[in-house]
Amino acid sequence: MTHSPATQQYKEKQAGDLQPGDFVFPPGDGPAAEIRAVEVKNDDYGVPALLLVTTVDGGTISVAVGSSVPVGDGVPAGPGAEASVDAPDQAEPDSSTPAEPDTEAPAGPAVVVPPRPETPPTYTGPSAEELALIPEPDGTPEAVVRAAAAQHKGKNGVQVLAERLAKGINTKSGSCLRDLSDLAFDLCIVLRDPDHALAVADLLNVLPFDGNLDRWASIERALALSSFICREAGQSERAAVYEKLLRAPESQEEDPFKARINARVRQRSLNEPNLYDKEIFRAIDNGNHEAEREWRFLRLEALMFLRAHGGSKTIGEDELARRIGNELESVRA
């Protein structure tokens, strides 16, 4: 007898909630199979699109992230299960004979279900008291930019950015936000002016996450830089505020399925960061020092982002601090 969803009790489960240890019914009339692992596959735009489910018997099932699948009740539909379903009713014991207590465990192999992974931690944004640690800008945003540029006359890169921004800062413009984050990085990394860099970055740091990932990328850079500046200056409480703001997208997803998928994708990016090793080595081999410096800038940004997240499972905070120091020396040389 074949046990399919039609002949065995089952329930629908959202694809994003599948866990190792669940019993899923593959397409067709096959028996339920125990899940060994669930892997998330992205589409070409980096958005989770497909789940690749691997079962303990070596099979694989592809499931769209938005679909539901039939799962069993935790007991595989193997030979033991068939016997329990198809076996004839046992004869009732003679009422005149005293029944002996059943002291032995029921026969049959035990089903060992692996422990489910812990639910990803949820993050909440900073409180009003914590946000008060970020000072109000000294004048208009344009005035903040002009004050920073005035300290570095003759520095062409900063002057070009400042001149463009001083004409009017539009926080709805992605290119404007990018110019602000570039200016903050140049002030801190190249010109070693963390105070003015932090003042410029704070123009971005207070902007909320609005779902636009292109705009958020510039804000994210500023928040990671600000966390680094404050950690280096011993302002750990203020740094923690920037780090909470950096996790804003993680705390705003209300759909449990999407939150779970996003957490997996995010953790993978933290555990396997792109540190541009191939590009840097290629530039070194070619003797292209300018290209090497540009790639090292990107590596530095990635390391600062990781540090603002408290490190990852593959790179701890101490190691991140060491690597950031190395990259600072390289780009400033």
Side-chain angles (χ1 to χ4, degrees):
M1 177 178 178
T2 300
H3 292 269
S4 66
T7 59
Q8 183 176 340
Q9 287 191 350
Y10 75 98
K11 59 183 178 180
E12 295 285 336
K13 192 168 187 178
Q14 209 165 27
D17 293 331
L18 292 175
Q19 301 275 2
D22 287 343
F23 287 84
V24 62
F25 287 97
D29 294 326
E34 183 179 355
I35 295 176
R36 183 179 65 189
V38 180
E39 183 180 3
V40 181
K41 297 290 187 180
N42 293 347
D43 63 16
D44 291 341
Y45 294 94
V47 178
L50 194 69
L51 301 180
L52 186 62
V53 176
T54 305
T55 59
V56 294
D57 60 4
T60 58
I61 307 169
S62 297
V63 185
V65 293
S67 66
S68 297
V69 295
V71 294
D73 54 6
V75 179
E82 292 184 9
S84 64
V85 174
D86 297 333
D89 294 336
Q90 300 294 325
E92 296 184 3
D94 187 346
S95 59
S96 63
T97 304
E100 296 183 1
D102 185 6
T103 57
E104 296 184 2
V111 177
V112 180
V113 179
R116 294 171 181 258
E118 295 182 1
T119 302
T122 56
Y123 299 100
T124 57
S127 64
E129 292 77 11
E130 290 174 320
L131 285 173
L133 293 174
I134 302 177
E136 293 289 331
D138 187 11
T140 64
E142 292 80 7
V144 172
V145 168
R146 283 193 292 266
Q151 301 298 314
H152 303 283
K153 294 179 180 179
K155 300 299 182 181
N156 188 58
V158 166
Q159 295 302 322
V160 170
L161 286 171
E163 183 178 349
R164 190 157 61 224
L165 289 165
K167 295 177 181 178
I169 294 175
N170 177 11
T171 57
K172 298 295 184 182
S173 166
S175 61
C176 183
L177 298 187
R178 182 69 187 194
D179 283 345
L180 282 170
S181 64
D182 284 345
L183 178 58
F185 263 87
D186 282 354
L187 288 167
C188 177
I189 306 305
V190 180
L191 301 177
R192 308 186 188 215
D193 184 357
D195 292 337
H196 283 101
L198 192 55
V200 171
D202 276 341
L203 300 175
L204 292 170
N205 294 334
V206 295
L207 299 177
F209 174 66
D210 61 1
N212 187 318
L213 296 179
D214 288 335
R215 283 168 30 82
W216 179 249
S218 296
I219 302 171
E220 198 173 55
R221 291 176 76 217
L223 287 165
L225 176 68
S226 301
S227 168
F228 166 75
I229 292 172
C230 289
R231 291 288 177 192
E232 292 296 296
Q235 301 179 38
S236 57
E237 291 184 356
R238 185 173 173 183
V241 177
Y242 294 125
E243 289 156 12
K244 285 186 176 182
L245 290 170
L246 185 66
R247 294 188 172 104
E250 304 173 33
S251 61
Q252 293 185 8
E253 182 54 69
E254 297 180 355
D255 186 288
F257 165 70
K258 291 182 179 179
R260 183 187 296 276
I261 295 297
N262 291 342
R264 289 176 183 167
V265 174
R266 184 167 52 251
Q267 189 59 54
R268 179 174 297 177
S269 69
L270 293 173
N271 293 340
E272 303 173 9
N274 182 5
L275 298 179
Y276 307 99
D277 295 330
K278 292 181 180 179
E279 292 84 355
I280 290 172
F281 289 138
R282 185 182 302 117
I284 293 173
D285 290 340
N286 294 334
N288 190 336
H289 300 298
E290 185 60 30
E292 178 191 348
R293 185 169 180 269
E294 292 299 321
W295 288 118
R296 286 189 181 277
F297 251 108
L298 292 175
R299 177 190 275 179
L300 181 59
E301 288 183 27
L303 292 171
M304 286 183 176
F305 177 81
L306 284 173
R307 188 180 182 186
H309 268 272
S312 69
K313 295 179 181 179
T314 54
I315 309 178
E317 289 190 68
D318 291 341
E319 175 64 12
L320 280 171
R322 185 189 69 80
R323 293 193 186 190
I324 287 173
N326 290 342
E327 295 309 318
L328 280 172
E329 290 183 10
S330 296
V331 300
R332 285 172 171 172

